[in-house]
Short mmCIF file of all heavy atoms in Angstrom, two decimals:
data_model
loop_
_atom_site.label_atom_id
_atom_site.label_comp_id
_atom_site.label_asym_id
_atom_site.label_seq_id
_atom_site.Cartn_x
_atom_site.Cartn_y
_atom_site.Cartn_z
N GLU O 368 15.52 37.92 -57.82
CA GLU O 368 14.14 37.84 -58.28
C GLU O 368 13.55 36.46 -58.28
O GLU O 368 12.34 36.29 -57.95
CB GLU O 368 13.97 38.43 -59.74
CG GLU O 368 14.22 39.93 -59.84
CD GLU O 368 15.73 40.29 -59.83
OE1 GLU O 368 16.53 39.39 -60.15
OE2 GLU O 368 16.09 41.44 -59.55
N THR O 369 14.29 35.44 -58.64
CA THR O 369 13.74 34.10 -58.77
C THR O 369 14.21 33.12 -57.70
O THR O 369 13.68 31.97 -57.63
CB THR O 369 14.08 33.54 -60.14
OG1 THR O 369 15.48 33.46 -60.31
CG2 THR O 369 13.49 34.37 -61.27
N SER O 370 15.22 33.50 -56.91
CA SER O 370 15.77 32.55 -55.93
C SER O 370 14.86 32.26 -54.79
O SER O 370 14.01 33.05 -54.46
CB SER O 370 17.15 33.05 -55.45
OG SER O 370 16.94 34.16 -54.60
N ASP O 371 15.08 31.09 -54.15
CA ASP O 371 14.30 30.76 -52.93
C ASP O 371 15.25 30.37 -51.80
O ASP O 371 14.84 29.82 -50.78
CB ASP O 371 13.31 29.63 -53.22
CG ASP O 371 14.03 28.35 -53.80
OD1 ASP O 371 15.24 28.42 -53.95
OD2 ASP O 371 13.30 27.37 -54.09
N LEU O 372 16.52 30.67 -51.96
CA LEU O 372 17.53 30.41 -50.92
C LEU O 372 18.69 31.34 -51.10
O LEU O 372 19.09 31.65 -52.28
CB LEU O 372 18.04 28.94 -51.06
CG LEU O 372 19.11 28.52 -50.08
CD1 LEU O 372 18.69 28.48 -48.63
CD2 LEU O 372 19.64 27.12 -50.50
N LYS O 373 19.28 31.83 -49.98
CA LYS O 373 20.49 32.60 -50.11
C LYS O 373 21.55 32.15 -49.07
O LYS O 373 21.20 31.68 -47.95
CB LYS O 373 20.21 34.07 -49.94
CG LYS O 373 19.42 34.50 -48.68
CD LYS O 373 19.02 35.94 -48.75
CE LYS O 373 18.18 36.33 -47.54
NZ LYS O 373 17.71 37.73 -47.61
N PHE O 374 22.78 32.18 -49.46
CA PHE O 374 23.89 31.85 -48.63
C PHE O 374 24.58 33.14 -48.18
O PHE O 374 24.78 34.04 -48.99
CB PHE O 374 24.95 30.99 -49.35
CG PHE O 374 24.47 29.55 -49.55
CD1 PHE O 374 23.90 29.14 -50.73
CD2 PHE O 374 24.64 28.61 -48.52
CE1 PHE O 374 23.47 27.87 -50.95
CE2 PHE O 374 24.18 27.30 -48.78
CZ PHE O 374 23.62 26.88 -49.94
N LEU O 375 24.92 33.24 -46.90
CA LEU O 375 25.64 34.34 -46.36
C LEU O 375 27.10 34.01 -46.13
O LEU O 375 27.38 33.08 -45.29
CB LEU O 375 25.01 34.81 -45.04
CG LEU O 375 25.64 36.03 -44.33
CD1 LEU O 375 25.56 37.24 -45.24
CD2 LEU O 375 25.02 36.28 -42.97
N VAL O 376 27.98 34.56 -46.90
CA VAL O 376 29.41 34.24 -46.79
C VAL O 376 30.19 35.53 -46.70
O VAL O 376 30.03 36.40 -47.56
CB VAL O 376 29.89 33.42 -48.08
CG1 VAL O 376 31.30 32.87 -47.82
CG2 VAL O 376 28.92 32.33 -48.46
N ASP O 377 31.04 35.67 -45.65
CA ASP O 377 31.80 36.86 -45.40
C ASP O 377 30.96 38.15 -45.48
O ASP O 377 31.39 39.18 -46.01
CB ASP O 377 32.93 37.02 -46.49
CG ASP O 377 33.98 35.89 -46.41
OD1 ASP O 377 34.01 35.24 -45.39
OD2 ASP O 377 34.67 35.66 -47.39
N GLY O 378 29.73 38.01 -44.96
CA GLY O 378 28.88 39.22 -44.88
C GLY O 378 28.13 39.52 -46.16
O GLY O 378 27.43 40.57 -46.25
N LYS O 379 28.26 38.67 -47.20
CA LYS O 379 27.59 38.93 -48.50
C LYS O 379 26.71 37.80 -48.85
O LYS O 379 27.01 36.62 -48.60
CB LYS O 379 28.64 39.16 -49.57
CG LYS O 379 29.39 40.52 -49.47
CD LYS O 379 30.40 40.68 -50.60
CE LYS O 379 31.75 40.12 -50.25
NZ LYS O 379 32.85 40.47 -51.16
N TYR O 380 25.60 38.08 -49.50
CA TYR O 380 24.60 37.11 -49.96
C TYR O 380 24.86 36.56 -51.37
O TYR O 380 25.23 37.31 -52.26
CB TYR O 380 23.17 37.65 -49.84
CG TYR O 380 22.65 37.76 -48.44
CD1 TYR O 380 22.44 39.01 -47.84
CD2 TYR O 380 22.41 36.59 -47.68
CE1 TYR O 380 21.95 39.10 -46.57
CE2 TYR O 380 21.90 36.68 -46.41
CZ TYR O 380 21.62 37.92 -45.84
OH TYR O 380 21.16 38.00 -44.57
N ILE O 381 24.59 35.27 -51.56
CA ILE O 381 24.55 34.67 -52.91
C ILE O 381 23.21 34.01 -53.05
O ILE O 381 22.80 33.12 -52.24
CB ILE O 381 25.74 33.60 -53.07
CG1 ILE O 381 27.07 34.19 -52.58
CG2 ILE O 381 25.77 33.09 -54.46
CD1 ILE O 381 28.14 33.14 -52.42
N HIS O 382 22.46 34.40 -54.07
CA HIS O 382 21.10 33.90 -54.28
C HIS O 382 21.05 32.69 -55.20
O HIS O 382 21.59 32.74 -56.32
CB HIS O 382 20.17 35.06 -54.82
CG HIS O 382 20.16 36.21 -53.95
ND1 HIS O 382 21.08 37.20 -53.90
CD2 HIS O 382 19.20 36.53 -53.00
CE1 HIS O 382 20.73 38.11 -52.98
NE2 HIS O 382 19.65 37.77 -52.43
N VAL O 383 20.40 31.64 -54.74
CA VAL O 383 20.38 30.37 -55.53
C VAL O 383 18.97 29.76 -55.51
O VAL O 383 18.01 30.32 -54.87
CB VAL O 383 21.38 29.36 -54.96
CG1 VAL O 383 22.82 29.83 -55.27
CG2 VAL O 383 21.16 29.17 -53.47
N HIS O 384 18.86 28.57 -56.13
CA HIS O 384 17.54 27.86 -56.23
C HIS O 384 17.71 26.50 -55.65
O HIS O 384 18.54 25.72 -56.11
CB HIS O 384 17.16 27.79 -57.71
CG HIS O 384 17.08 29.18 -58.36
ND1 HIS O 384 18.23 29.80 -58.77
CD2 HIS O 384 16.04 29.95 -58.63
CE1 HIS O 384 17.88 30.96 -59.33
NE2 HIS O 384 16.55 31.07 -59.29
N LYS O 385 16.93 26.17 -54.64
CA LYS O 385 17.01 24.90 -53.92
C LYS O 385 16.97 23.70 -54.87
O LYS O 385 17.75 22.75 -54.78
CB LYS O 385 15.94 24.72 -52.87
CG LYS O 385 16.10 25.69 -51.71
CD LYS O 385 14.98 25.48 -50.69
CE LYS O 385 15.05 26.44 -49.51
NZ LYS O 385 13.95 26.32 -48.59
N ALA O 386 15.97 23.72 -55.78
CA ALA O 386 15.79 22.57 -56.67
C ALA O 386 17.04 22.29 -57.46
O ALA O 386 17.48 21.11 -57.60
CB ALA O 386 14.59 22.79 -57.59
N LEU O 387 17.63 23.32 -58.04
CA LEU O 387 18.85 23.08 -58.88
C LEU O 387 19.97 22.55 -58.01
O LEU O 387 20.65 21.64 -58.47
CB LEU O 387 19.25 24.37 -59.55
CG LEU O 387 20.44 24.24 -60.48
CD1 LEU O 387 20.18 24.98 -61.81
CD2 LEU O 387 21.75 24.71 -59.87
N LEU O 388 20.14 23.06 -56.82
CA LEU O 388 21.23 22.61 -56.01
C LEU O 388 21.03 21.11 -55.58
O LEU O 388 21.98 20.35 -55.56
CB LEU O 388 21.31 23.44 -54.71
CG LEU O 388 22.35 24.62 -54.73
CD1 LEU O 388 22.13 25.51 -55.96
CD2 LEU O 388 22.26 25.50 -53.47
N LYS O 389 19.80 20.70 -55.30
CA LYS O 389 19.55 19.35 -54.98
C LYS O 389 19.85 18.39 -56.18
O LYS O 389 20.36 17.31 -56.03
CB LYS O 389 18.05 19.15 -54.61
CG LYS O 389 17.73 19.68 -53.17
CD LYS O 389 16.23 19.41 -52.96
CE LYS O 389 15.79 19.98 -51.61
NZ LYS O 389 14.35 19.71 -51.37
N ILE O 390 19.50 18.88 -57.40
CA ILE O 390 19.69 18.12 -58.58
C ILE O 390 21.14 17.94 -58.88
O ILE O 390 21.65 16.89 -59.25
CB ILE O 390 18.95 18.74 -59.81
CG1 ILE O 390 17.42 18.65 -59.63
CG2 ILE O 390 19.37 18.08 -61.15
CD1 ILE O 390 16.65 19.48 -60.65
N ARG O 391 21.94 19.00 -58.65
CA ARG O 391 23.31 19.09 -59.10
C ARG O 391 24.31 18.54 -58.11
O ARG O 391 25.45 18.21 -58.44
CB ARG O 391 23.68 20.50 -59.49
CG ARG O 391 22.95 21.07 -60.64
CD ARG O 391 23.57 20.61 -61.93
NE ARG O 391 24.87 21.27 -62.19
CZ ARG O 391 25.90 20.75 -62.80
NH1 ARG O 391 25.81 19.48 -63.21
NH2 ARG O 391 27.03 21.44 -62.96
N CYS O 392 23.96 18.48 -56.79
CA CYS O 392 25.01 18.17 -55.73
C CYS O 392 24.48 17.34 -54.64
O CYS O 392 23.46 17.71 -54.02
CB CYS O 392 25.52 19.54 -55.24
SG CYS O 392 26.77 19.33 -53.93
N GLU O 393 25.11 16.22 -54.44
CA GLU O 393 24.71 15.26 -53.36
C GLU O 393 24.71 15.93 -51.98
O GLU O 393 23.79 15.69 -51.17
CB GLU O 393 25.67 14.07 -53.40
CG GLU O 393 25.21 12.90 -52.48
CD GLU O 393 23.99 12.25 -52.90
OE1 GLU O 393 23.78 11.99 -54.13
OE2 GLU O 393 23.09 11.94 -52.05
#
Side-chain angles (χ1 to χ4, degrees):
E368 290 81 19
T369 60
S370 71
D371 55 1
L372 174 67
K373 54 189 178 182
F374 287 96
L375 180 62
V376 192
D377 295 342
K379 289 182 271 193
Y380 283 112
I381 309 165
H382 299 84
V383 291
H384 306 77
K385 289 180 183 177
L387 184 135
L388 266 51
K389 286 181 183 180
I390 291 168
R391 293 280 287 147
C392 178
E393 188 67 41

